[in-house]
Amino acid sequence: MSTARHYKIGLLGCGTVGQGLVELVNRNRGLIRERSGIELSFTKILVRDLAKKRPGVDRNLLTIQPDHVINNGCDVVVELVGGLEPARSFIQRALSGRKHVVTANKALLAADGFALLNKAVSQRVQFGFEASVCAGIPIIRALQSGLVGNSIRSLTGILNGTCNYILTRMADAGMPFVDALREAQGKGFAEADPTLDVDGYDAAQKLKILAEIAWGGRIALETVQIEGIRNITLDDVDSARKLGYAVKQVAHAEFNDGGVSLSVHPALLPMAHPLASVRDENNAVQVKGDAVGEMFFHGKGAGSLPSASAVLSDIVDIASHKRSLTRISARAVPVAGADLPYQRYLRFPVGEPSAIGKITSALERQGIGVDRAAAIWAKTSSEQSQVKFVTQSCQADTLRAALSMVSTLGLLQGDYVALRLAA
Ligand code: HSE
């Protein structure tokens, strides 16, 4: 029997994912040894509070000194602190010391991934970040290696577990938005600042990371058109269901006319669409490649062990010398502002439901045909009357002009909602 090669992990951060990693390494150490010939162990683990209870974590490994992790004879530094600083400085110090690095830090990658990857390449060390997007789903590996022979046409995904959890609970349990968000926070999916989830920034960071790999160049986060899910009500989710649709937060990147258009937005998806049946905190990505056609990846996109699974896959790959250095070229990927026509669901809060006639006329004057229209009278004084429309296909520019015209009619009693009927 051949002897296993020892491989030492220096761990920065022992929160939800860090503790998951310790648990998974302890649980599957023998399995990993059998599969890869690598025997994993931890050298030191950076924490903020030495006294805090961390079941299953050897207290003797804990330190509050980052250098005791980074410069303590480990083979790979795993950064699970999160956020921009001090995570960025930790990673830079590790790379300067020619340590391989694994991180789950999507915010840092979206902000500085290119510089960190370049530094790793120039130091001739590996930089793994599989856990940064869709946690347990090996989508980064799929794009980097499994699908490397394809020209990618589009990526369409549910990339934020918190939004998907909220929209699932609203649809299945009739739970109001704020209560569903509170549940997601209780389950540990939501960001420390949940506005990053519900306003679409977390999904935009992940979409940028995937798109840079798929199209092999740099993409500015500001080129992602972002729309959050805060204005979606139980009534919207219910109306969508009656029309045969599910409301989902969708992240979409598509190559068209020599450029990539990127957006994160809530949309009504037909129930038969593969993303419509993605539930709870699950994530999914539909990839279209010129050779492979359509592929669908689905699984747990957040949480302790699913994230740890992705971190561990990077560690074992690096330890087994299975990875080639990840590169993103310095060229900027051309961005396309494709304005494709879509059918839309529109809801306007109004004082008088008879406003339906005036709003229909305004939409039609801008060339937006109305397929269905409904007026809903408020039943109690705490409710608001609404008028709702499903339009024929129209471009975003046309819709913008029509919505601004409706806003000037003096009929609206709050914010309107306008959602695509497609991913
Ligand atoms: N807040 C993130 C989400 C965590 O809800 O998807 C995983 O990246």
Side-chain angles (χ1 to χ4, degrees):
M1 201 180 87
S2 62
T3 52
R5 190 157 55 84
H6 284 264
Y7 203 76
K8 297 183 288 285
I9 305 166
L11 177 57
L12 297 164
C14 200
T16 309
V17 183
Q19 286 180 55
L21 180 65
V22 174
E23 181 185 336
L24 199 57
V25 168
N26 289 340
R27 188 201 292 180
N28 290 342
R29 184 176 274 115
L31 201 64
I32 292 163
R33 191 192 314 115
E34 271 173 36
R35 285 180 176 160
S36 63
I38 307 288
E39 175 85 29
L40 294 175
S41 62
F42 291 93
T43 47
K44 280 283 172 199
I45 301 175
L46 178 75
V47 294
R48 262 197 301 240
D49 174 6
L50 289 169
K52 192 170 162 186
K53 281 204 170 65
R54 296 176 184 85
V57 179
D58 179 354
R59 295 179 75 87
N60 296 317
L61 296 179
L62 304 185
T63 175
I64 51 168
Q65 301 291 339
D67 278 327
H68 290 178
V69 176
I70 298 168
N71 299 316
N72 196 17
C74 64
D75 299 299
V76 60
V77 171
V78 176
E79 182 278 308
L80 299 176
V81 172
L84 297 185
E85 281 297 343
R88 175 177 16 218
S89 310
F90 291 163
I91 291 179
Q92 277 167 340
R93 268 148 69 187
L95 293 174
S96 297
R98 299 211 60 230
K99 300 282 186 204
H100 302 298
V101 170
V102 173
T103 179
N105 193 330
K106 69 224 149 178
L108 180 57
L109 279 162
D112 259 352
F114 181 71
L116 294 172
L117 262 173
N118 265 352
K119 181 155 182 168
V121 169
S122 70
Q123 294 292 89
R124 304 223 48 81
V125 291
Q126 302 284 354
F127 186 62
F129 50 95
E130 183 63 69
S132 63
V133 181
C134 296
I137 306 172
I139 184 67
I140 290 181
R141 248 180 205 71
L143 290 171
Q144 274 177 345
S145 54
L147 300 175
V148 71
N150 284 254
S151 162
I152 303 297
R153 301 292 194 222
S154 65
L155 299 169
T156 312
I158 290 179
L159 303 183
N160 183 267
T162 302
C163 286
N164 205 55
Y165 186 84
I166 292 171
L167 293 169
T168 305
R169 297 293 283 155
M170 287 172 81
D172 290 3
M175 187 176 272
F177 180 94
V178 280
D179 296 350
L181 170 59
R182 203 169 303 122
E183 257 193 25
Q185 287 176 296
K187 286 174 179 273
F189 317 134
E191 296 301 301
D193 171 4
T195 59
L196 293 172
D197 296 300
V198 299
D199 292 336
Y201 296 102
D202 177 83
Q205 289 169 344
K206 294 168 178 166
L207 184 66
K208 168 191 147 81
I209 295 168
L210 293 184
E212 287 188 329
I213 297 169
W215 286 286
R218 300 177 70 178
I219 294 172
L221 189 59
E222 298 68 41
T223 56
V224 186
Q225 289 175 26
I226 307 176
E227 221 182 297
I229 64 162
R230 277 180 201 272
N231 291 338
I232 312 274
T233 60
L234 276 175
D235 185 40
D236 294 323
V237 172
D238 197 46
S239 301
R241 190 192 6 233
K242 287 180 183 143
L243 290 164
Y245 293 84
V247 182
K248 293 286 176 191
Q249 188 211 44
V250 173
H252 182 68
E254 182 161 351
F255 188 81
N256 249 323
D257 294 334
V260 179
S261 57
L262 302 110
S263 65
V264 171
H265 55 266
L268 269 62
L269 301 182
M271 292 297 182
H273 192 290
L275 292 175
S277 51
V278 176
R279 295 170 50 79
D280 301 322
E281 77 275 23
N282 285 311
N283 281 188
V285 187
Q286 190 179 42
V287 183
K288 290 185 191 163
D290 65 342
V292 80
E294 216 166 275
M295 303 211 75
F296 191 67
F297 300 82
H298 175 238
K300 294 218 180 312
S304 175
L305 287 177
S307 303
S309 160
V311 170
L312 191 50
S313 73
D314 277 340
I315 296 171
V316 174
D317 263 13
I318 292 172
S320 327
H321 309 297
K322 272 197 199 148
R323 287 298 269 278
S324 55
L325 295 172
T326 305
R327 288 171 193 273
I328 291 182
S329 113
R331 116 194 131 83
V333 174
V335 173
D339 188 358
L340 302 174
Y342 295 105
Q343 277 194 283
R344 320 273 171 170
Y345 161 89
L346 308 177
R347 173 175 58 77
F348 301 95
V350 289
E352 260 308 308
S354 58
I356 193 165
K358 289 182 184 150
I359 296 179
T360 304
S361 305
L363 293 172
E364 287 178 346
R365 268 202 305 282
Q366 291 294 319
I368 299 181
V370 170
D371 263 2
R372 291 166 187 246
I376 291 97
W377 270 259
K379 292 187 197 73
T380 65
S381 58
S382 63
E383 287 178 14
Q384 173 77 63
S385 296
Q386 314 274 345
V387 291
K388 299 178 191 174
F389 301 88
V390 174
T391 73
Q392 292 169 2
S393 286
C394 63
Q395 289 178 300
D397 270 354
T398 314
L399 180 70
R400 246 188 310 275
L403 291 173
S404 99
M405 176 178 266
V406 171
S407 301
T408 60
L409 297 176
L411 302 167
L412 303 190
Q413 305 268 310
D415 293 336
Y416 57 75
V417 164
L419 307 174
R420 287 186 194 176
L421 266 69

